[in-house]
């Protein structure tokens, strides 16, 4: 089972708290501070099993 998760949030505290909670449950977590950074992570690391995104971010929202 692929346990890789990408967390995308422009709020550092939310991003880190989500990362820590998922890591405590055994997931391998990557983080990104923006939609553009998330796209870079996807290009570099390939697909993730799950992506958790903030719906309201500057530039590119979580749905985009």
């Amino acid at each position: 089972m692929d346990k890789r998760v990408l967390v995308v949030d422009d709020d550092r505290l939310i991003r880190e708290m989500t990362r820590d909670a998922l890591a405590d449950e055994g997931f391998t977590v990557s983080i990104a501070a923006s939609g553009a950074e998330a796209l870079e992570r996807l290009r570099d690391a390939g697909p993730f099993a799950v992506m958790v995104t903030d719906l309201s971010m500057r530039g590119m929202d979580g749905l985009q």
Side-chain angles (χ1 to χ4, degrees), residues 25-46:
E25 294 299 320
F27 292 93
T28 301
V29 183
S30 294
I31 58 173
S34 67
E37 190 176 331
L39 292 174
E40 288 178 32
R41 297 280 180 277
L42 289 166
R43 274 192 294 272
D44 294 344

Side-chain angles (χ1 to χ4, degrees), residues 5 7-9 11-25 29-31 52:
V5 177
V7 175
V8 186
D9 200 303
D11 183 302
R12 183 187 57 81
L13 182 59
I14 298 295
R15 193 171 56 242
E16 291 177 359
M17 287 174 53
T18 304
R19 178 200 59 204
D20 293 348
L22 289 167
D24 286 348
E25 294 299 320
V29 183
S30 294
I31 58 173
V52 179

